[in-house]
Amino acid sequence: MAIKTIDILPTAQAAEGYDFSVSVAVVIDVLRATSVITNALSNGASAVAPVLSPEEGFALADKLGRYGVVLGGERNADVIPGYDLGNSPQDYAPGAVAGKTVVITTTNGTVALRASSSAKSVIAASMLNYKAAAIKAVRMAVELSAESVVFVCSGNYGALTLEDCFCAAVMADVAADLCPSAAFASDMAVAIHDLARGRSADDVSFISRSAHYGRLIAKGYSADVDFCLRHPDSLDTVPVMCADGLIRLAK
């Protein structure tokens, strides 16, 4: 397997205007959107539809048929009024999502997914599936004759977050091991990749220094944080965006 470059973008906003034409994009929002997407598909959701606003979510649910849709997401980290679920990944259990389309809108993760949609392929990744997703990204890049794998950190309101950058760093490590000749495409990629140096993937003590981590804990979402961070590489689910804009399990 061979790709030419590995890049890392620090925020969803950095993805806007980025040239993804020769890349496979891997979108990361550890706390919590891509953890939700991964867990929902692992638990039998038929697809996930990322949208940019609550209003767009309501409209899509009406179009698809409300019975077969679960509306999920957050604003200010909390459940959106009128939505079925918030942004807590453990709520996306089989009984809630099996056989249904999850329509999701979040402050950062769905923005990053939309901003990366011009890539040759888009994968959603979190600490839960980081290894499987990184391996799949490299394999898809080779299959699609893409030159680069780009890890897109969602960040938080335009600022980078330690948890997303750390996930990107450990995934870039996997990609670099598979493609030792690949160069890091930017100083940002080199700097973020160095976050993984000497640290294991379950180094929660490092990630706990994240401001977003602290904000979620303060709002009472400690169970979510624990779910997202304490079981790295526990799922082999790889969510991939399809031509119709829906995210499904990779084949």
Side-chain angles (χ1 to χ4, degrees), residues 180-193:
S181 64
F184 284 95
S186 64
D187 288 357
M188 180 63 73
V190 172
I192 293 176
H193 177 247

Side-chain angles (χ1 to χ4, degrees), residues 50-223:
V51 298
L52 294 180
S53 70
E55 295 75 20
E56 186 181 353
F58 284 125
L60 182 56
D62 289 341
K63 179 180 178 181
L64 295 175
R66 190 67 179 86
Y67 177 78
V69 168
V70 174
L71 280 168
E74 57 75 32
R75 286 298 182 271
N76 194 31
D78 297 325
V79 64
I80 298 165
Y83 271 45
D84 303 308
L85 299 174
N87 205 28
S88 298
Q90 62 270 39
D91 289 347
Y92 291 75
V97 303
K100 296 188 176 183
T101 297
V102 175
V103 175
I104 186 170
T105 180
T106 68
T107 307
N108 306 293
T110 54
V111 175
L113 285 163
R114 282 287 188 90
S116 307
S117 61
S118 63
K120 285 181 172 289
S121 189
V122 180
I123 290 171
S126 66
M127 292 306 300
L128 297 171
N129 68 335
Y130 81 88
K131 190 173 291 185
I135 292 169
K136 184 65 174 177
V138 172
R139 288 177 176 168
M140 289 187 76
V142 172
E143 290 169 4
L144 297 171
S145 300
E147 296 179 2
S148 178
V149 172
V150 182
F151 297 99
V152 181
C153 303
S154 296
N156 189 40
Y157 293 102
L160 65 80
T161 59
L162 284 181
E163 67 276 2
D164 288 351
C165 289
F166 185 67
C167 186
V170 296
M171 293 185 77
D173 247 2
V174 175
D177 284 345
L178 291 171
C179 302
S181 64
F184 284 95
S186 64
D187 288 357
M188 180 63 73
V190 172
I192 293 176
H193 177 247
D194 274 1
L195 291 177
R197 194 179 302 277
R199 294 189 173 97
S200 65
D202 59 355
D203 190 351
V204 178
S205 63
F206 172 73
I207 298 175
S208 67
R209 297 163 64 187
S210 161
H212 188 45
Y213 176 109
R215 177 169 173 259
L216 289 174
I217 294 292
K219 289 179 70 70
Y221 292 113
S222 58

